[in-house]
Amino acid sequence: KEKEEVVRSLSDWFVPESLATSYVLDEAVVVAGDFRIDPAGHIRLADFVDTGTGERRVGRIVQRMLEIETYKTMSMLGFARVREIGSRMGHIDRQLTDLMADMRDEEKSADLTLAGLLAVSAELENLGVQTSFRFGATSAYEAIVHQRIEVMRETRFDGRQTLNEFMMRRYDPAMRTVKASEARLKAMSDRAIRAGELLR
């Protein structure tokens, strides 16, 4: 009967498609959340506590759920930064490709090509400085999110997706995008340096 009441509450309070629900800490509590911002600007998280579960244990679960949401939100700042610089990185990449093609053209001035490569290298260095802290913080926050989920010792509730599965589908792709952009920025910088040394 209690399980039926929990299922009914979940359908009333959350968006089913994005709902993550699971038993945690040896089925002491059912945690749920759809991680969607409601019209009031809030995210709903719910804990359904088994009778006999101590207040301190419930408090730790609530704290971990809040930490998961907080650090998830903080790590998504890195994804937002990637979206901001995506077109700029694409423009720099095309410039670098054109300059490397100019190196093979004997009619192109080596001095002008070198000046162009130095300008691109400086822009890439500047971009790297601007994003290094945010990318590093994103990686650290991502690790905390996964660690907090792991210590909750999830088991499946009513055939629904767990918090870990939700993160794999909705969160991890964004984190992989951040890592890929960080690697791309470093690779572009290395290409520009090698091309400049070769031209010299």
Side-chain angles (χ1 to χ4, degrees):
K1 184 178 178 183
E2 289 181 0
K3 183 175 180 180
E4 291 173 359
E5 290 175 359
V6 171
V7 171
R8 193 179 308 113
S9 298
L10 293 174
S11 61
D12 289 342
W13 297 344
F14 297 103
V15 178
E17 300 80 43
S18 58
L19 178 62
T21 311
S22 59
Y23 287 116
V24 297
L25 299 184
D26 307 317
E27 301 191 1
V29 176
V30 174
V31 297
D34 59 12
F35 298 96
R36 296 167 69 97
I37 298 175
D38 66 17
H42 302 125
I43 289 176
R44 292 183 179 185
L45 301 171
D47 292 343
F48 301 92
V49 182
D50 188 22
T51 53
T53 304
E55 291 180 357
R56 292 172 65 87
R57 195 172 210 193
V58 174
R60 286 195 299 271
I61 292 170
V62 170
Q63 180 181 353
R64 285 169 184 160
M65 289 293 288
L66 292 174
E67 287 174 345
I68 288 168
E69 175 53 29
T70 300
Y71 288 116
K72 179 178 76 68
T73 301
M74 294 296 291
S75 63
M76 289 300 286
L77 292 175
F79 183 66
R81 189 75 179 102
V82 164
R83 295 179 71 175
E84 287 175 10
I85 66 171
S87 60
R88 186 176 170 195
M89 285 179 62
H91 176 70
I92 295 171
D93 201 3
R94 288 189 294 274
Q95 277 186 301
L96 182 56
T97 300
D98 291 343
L99 286 166
M100 294 181 77
D102 289 346
M103 290 172 60
R104 296 193 298 270
D105 189 341
E106 294 181 0
E107 295 182 5
K108 299 285 184 177
S109 167
D111 289 337
L112 288 177
T113 303
L114 182 59
L117 284 170
L118 290 174
V120 166
S121 293
E123 190 168 4
L124 286 168
E125 183 67 22
N126 183 45
L127 200 55
V129 169
Q130 290 176 10
T131 58
S132 62
F133 172 78
R134 178 51 53 206
F135 288 165
T138 291
S139 180
Y141 294 143
E142 179 195 6
I144 293 172
V145 168
H146 288 295
Q147 190 271 340
R148 293 299 187 270
I149 292 174
E150 184 179 348
V151 297
M152 299 251 272
R153 302 197 304 272
E154 289 186 284
T155 54
R156 193 175 303 282
F157 172 81
D158 193 41
R160 298 170 186 265
Q161 70 175 340
T162 62
L163 294 173
N164 189 51
E165 289 170 341
F166 174 87
M167 294 301 174
M168 286 175 60
R169 290 177 54 240
R170 298 291 186 89
Y171 174 69
D172 289 355
M175 295 300 97
R176 285 195 295 272
T177 299
V178 174
K179 290 184 179 74
S181 296
E182 184 178 16
R184 181 187 180 196
L185 189 58
K186 184 180 185 308
M188 287 166 59
S189 182
D190 290 344
R191 279 173 61 203
I193 291 170
R194 285 197 305 271
E197 289 174 349
L198 180 62
L199 191 59
R200 287 192 189 94

